[in-house]
Amino acid sequence: MPSQAPLLLRHHRPFIAFWLARIFTASGFQMLTVAIGWNLYQLTGNVLDLGLVGLVEFAPRVLFMLHTGHVADRYDRRKVAAICQSLQALIALTLAIGSATDHVTRELIFTLAFLLGAARSFEMPTTQALLPSIVPAALFPRAVAAAQSAQQSATIVAPALGGLLYAFGSVWVYGPTVLLYVIACTLMLNLPARQTPLNKGKATLDSLLAGIRFIRSRPDILGAISLDLFAVLLGGATALLPVFAKDILLTGAWGLGLLRSAPAVGALLMSLFLARFAVERHVGRVMFTAVGVFGVATIAFGLSTSFWFSLAVLVVLGAADMISMVIRASFVQLETPDEMRGRVSAVNGLFIGASNQLGEFESGLTAHWFGTVPAVVMGGIGTLVVTGTWIKLFPTLASRDRMHVPAEEAKA
């Protein structure tokens, strides 16, 4: 009974606890990121340091990729997530004490940024692998969309709140962040225990690489993950928003803030829609169409000279990206056995992180070579080329009708 599914999700207590934990952890991270950036720039006045912080936070995802998935499959995922959130709370507490005593240094910020990245590199695949075990499979696509609405809400609200609190001093950001992580940790520990037996295998190289081998053995999963990697890698234009705001759309800092928020607004609105009306049929066609719309929106943004049209296009871009992301995340998790979800999520998380980080680098490099507008337009065209190519390379994914076909139905 599809009409009753949203009601069931809203009354599913474990999911509500998970959803609130996502709100608190995402808000805490966004506030922490804003405060760290401002704090570091006040200390050094060096723009390069701001870029290095992002690199330092991303490095653990590469260094620990194979181990994060194994930990998520080997140990109680609730406890792993809670430990990661506790570590992030300690990082915020350290910064709060350091700010109150005026002992925050550049070196301390970089060290804590690395630890923050390490904690998140273990937390992300663990929480992704945890969600399918706390909601029924029929509700999972809606649960993914609702969880993403929590993420997008935090992305929109928390940075502004962090900036507002920072006006009273950095400790006023770090202090509340500690509380947010502590609440999230408590909620996570109160989730139901895992029903599937834990993977008792040791952390051998064969075990650590099992996630990569599994993805390679499933063409549809490989196609879905790699489609996102290359589409976002080529189509990402967010790194160039300051240039568009200042030199092309002729707006100020307020305009840049609106441009940065627009994709998140589109993603939030779409996630709320998908939480109520899940994509249940023709999922392959819908996913590829969404990626194509993402590419077209990127081209339109690159060619636009109107601030309000650019804003509207970015909202569409964020909404299209959310459709693709929800379908991909739901499909990959449902098609992966529970004992493998941590390792597969770790690989998927690395692909997502790489596409975002390398996409910003690619946008900056092509803008330097060819100019800002040509770089964005070529990126959008590249996304459309990738979409068409992937339809040819992964025909079963493109023609896929449903998220997941239960084994008993597949045999019938």
Side-chain angles (χ1 to χ4, degrees):
M1 293 177 290
S3 62
Q4 296 184 11
L7 180 63
L8 290 173
L9 183 60
R10 288 198 299 271
H11 288 79
H12 199 275
R13 290 187 177 181
F15 175 75
I16 296 300
F18 179 89
W19 187 85
L20 290 172
R22 284 291 297 269
I23 280 277
F24 291 129
T25 52
S27 298
F29 175 71
Q30 293 292 338
M31 292 172 62
L32 200 56
T33 300
V34 168
I36 286 175
W38 275 105
N39 209 342
L40 181 63
Y41 192 65
Q42 283 183 328
L43 284 173
T44 68
N46 189 345
V47 179
L48 179 60
D49 283 342
L50 299 179
L52 291 176
V53 165
L55 183 62
V56 167
E57 287 183 8
F58 178 69
R61 189 175 296 184
V62 179
L63 294 175
F64 304 133
M65 179 195 73
L66 297 177
H67 294 84
T68 57
H70 182 82
V71 168
D73 289 334
R74 173 66 177 82
Y75 301 100
D76 189 328
R77 289 167 182 161
R78 301 170 306 159
K79 294 180 180 178
V80 173
I83 290 171
C84 294
Q85 291 156 4
S86 299
L87 176 57
Q88 292 170 82
L90 288 175
I91 291 170
L93 180 61
T94 301
L95 287 167
I97 295 173
S99 297
T101 59
D102 199 24
H103 281 85
V104 175
T105 64
R106 177 179 182 270
E107 291 72 22
L108 176 65
I109 288 179
F110 276 111
T111 301
L112 294 178
F114 181 84
L115 294 176
L116 178 64
R120 285 178 58 79
S121 69
F122 281 89
E123 180 190 14
M124 291 177 68
T126 301
T127 53
Q128 288 176 3
L130 181 62
L131 182 56
S133 65
I134 63 175
V135 295
L139 291 178
F140 186 66
R142 290 183 172 88
V144 171
Q148 283 301 315
S149 72
Q151 180 75 33
Q152 297 302 327
S153 298
T155 301
I156 295 170
V157 176
L161 179 60
L164 179 64
L165 292 174
Y166 199 94
F168 300 97
S170 58
V171 69
W172 287 93
V173 185
Y174 296 134
T177 300
V178 176
L179 181 60
L180 291 175
Y181 279 121
V182 170
I183 295 174
C185 177
T186 303
L187 289 168
M188 196 62 65
L189 289 174
N190 282 308
L191 291 177
R194 182 178 182 178
Q195 300 301 317
T196 304
L198 295 173
N199 174 17
K200 298 296 184 179
K202 295 182 180 180
T204 62
L205 181 60
D206 183 69
S207 172
L208 296 175
L209 294 175
I212 297 176
R213 288 200 305 271
F214 178 82
I215 292 173
R216 290 183 59 187
S217 69
R218 302 294 181 93
D220 285 4
I221 294 179
L222 176 62
I225 292 177
S226 58
L227 173 66
D228 176 75
L229 170 64
F230 289 104
V232 175
L233 177 65
L234 295 173
T238 55
L240 301 177
L241 287 181
V243 182
F244 275 90
K246 181 176 183 295
D247 299 331
I248 298 174
L249 302 177
L250 306 178
T251 184
W254 66 273
L256 174 59
L258 290 177
L259 290 173
R260 285 194 176 278
S261 299
V265 170
L268 173 61
L269 294 175
M270 183 54 68
S271 66
L272 293 174
F273 177 83
L274 292 175
R276 178 65 179 85
F277 303 100
V279 179
E280 297 177 345
R281 304 300 299 271
H282 310 298
V283 294
R285 185 189 309 168
V286 173
M287 182 179 69
F288 278 101
T289 300
V291 176
V293 171
F294 179 89
V296 172
T298 301
I299 296 172
F301 175 76
L303 296 175
S304 173
T305 57
S306 165
F307 173 74
W308 296 109
F309 180 74
S310 297
L311 209 60
V313 166
L314 287 176
V315 171
V316 173
L317 182 148
D321 188 44
M322 177 56 61
I323 295 173
S324 170
M325 191 287 303
V326 168
I327 292 177
R328 185 183 66 256
S330 302
F331 161 67
V332 171
Q333 291 289 350
L334 289 174
E335 287 293 298
T336 304
D338 185 65
E339 66 274 10
M340 289 289 299
R341 282 181 178 140
R343 283 165 284 183
V344 171
S345 295
V347 177
N348 189 26
L350 178 65
F351 274 45
I352 294 172
S355 65
N356 291 328
Q357 298 289 333
L358 295 179
E360 293 184 1
F361 174 74
E362 180 271 338
S363 296
L365 188 62
T366 53
H368 176 73
W369 285 345
F370 305 109
T372 302
V373 171
V376 174
V377 172
M378 286 190 297
I381 294 173
T383 297
L384 294 178
V385 171
V386 167
T387 303
T389 303
W390 257 238
I391 290 175
K392 297 294 184 180
L393 291 177
F394 301 95
T396 57
L397 176 62
S399 61
R400 190 177 185 89
D401 184 49
R402 296 167 62 182
M403 294 283 187
H404 175 61
V405 179
E408 56 272 16
E409 291 188 24
K411 292 177 181 179

